[in-house]
Structures are given as structure tokens and as C-alpha cells.
Amino acid sequence: MKVAVPQATISWEAAHAAVAAAVAKAEALGVRINVGVADASGNLVAFLRMPGAFPQSIAIAIDKAYTAGGFGFPTGKWMDVCAGNEGMKLGFSAQPRLVVFGGGLPIRVGGELLGGIGVSGASEEQDGICARAGLLAIGADDVEP
């Protein structure tokens, strides 16, 4: 019987680089965002709030990273996962910290789940674009928002 299982996680260096890339993309788009990176257990590794970004979006960005990193798929895909099952839609959307709209992406390298990145403060589409920029900057597997 195995007692322990090794698990890879995102490094603080990669987390901070992903945050910086997401913010750079937000600047290029002319928007202000909050961006967080969590490990696959949902623990926050890096966070940045751009001056002028909505303070109410702080928790949303962190929770997007928590959701994408924990479940391993983009937050914007939740409605597809729950399609046709109203119980799942209502049940999952009522869970604390679980975000069911776009802006959160899983961070995988070579298919291995390391965590998630979450962006909030712009439109859903812009949040996803910024999150994806974070993935690409650290050489993570590409994910469509």
C-alpha cells in the first residue's frame, strides 16, 4: 500500500511570471484586472491587483484560479459540463468559491495539472485572454478560454 503520492505543483517563480504576463496583456488591452495563481489544492501562490481594478473582483480572481486548478478545466466550461442537468448547475454554482463563468484556466505542463490562473475585472472574454497570456508566458499547455 502506498502511503504517499508525489504531486507536482507550480513554482512561485512560474506563478509570478504568469501573473506578470496576464497584467502585461491587460495593459495592452487597456483594462485593469486582478489576477491570482493557485496550486492544484487551491492554495494561493501569487496575486496582483492592478491599480484601478475593482476590489470586488479580488476574491473572484482567486476563486477562478481555485476552481480551474482544482477541477482541471476552464471555468467557462462549467455550463457545458453541466449541460442538461439542472441539479448539477444549481448545486455546483451554489458551492462557495466555485466559479462557473470564464476567466479561470488550469495550468498544465506536459498534461500534468499544476494549478490554475484566474483573472477578473474586465469582460469575460478579456479575462480569458489575460489568463491565457499567463499560461503561454510560462510554457504551460495552451488552453482556449
Side-chain angles (χ1 to χ4, degrees):
M1 164 177 55
K2 280 188 177 182
V3 176
V5 178
Q7 181 179 358
T9 189
I10 189 161
S11 70
W12 70 265
E13 297 94 340
H16 282 263
V19 165
V23 167
K25 179 57 86 171
E27 286 182 327
L29 295 173
V31 297
R32 301 282 156 214
I33 62 167
N34 297 285
V35 57
V37 171
D39 63 21
S41 297
N43 297 305
L44 190 63
V45 180
F47 177 81
L48 190 139
R49 176 181 173 264
M50 294 176 72
F54 301 118
Q56 297 83 355
S57 292
I58 292 170
I60 297 170
I62 293 168
D63 289 350
K64 286 179 181 183
Y66 167 85
T67 302
F71 284 97
F73 59 86
T75 56
K77 302 295 183 196
W78 267 100
M79 291 298 108
D80 294 339
V81 170
C82 299
N85 188 326
E86 290 302 308
M88 282 182 65
K89 282 184 186 179
L90 294 171
F92 278 117
S93 66
Q95 293 302 306
R97 300 198 63 198
L98 192 123
V99 178
V100 297
F101 49 89
L105 299 175
I107 299 171
R108 292 181 186 275
V109 174
E112 186 168 15
L113 184 62
L114 303 180
I117 183 168
V119 176
S120 185
S123 71
E124 186 176 4
E125 178 184 9
Q126 291 166 324
D127 287 351
I129 290 168
C130 293
R132 185 170 181 236
L135 294 182
L136 298 177
I138 63 170
D141 300 349
D142 194 7
V143 177
E144 288 294 322

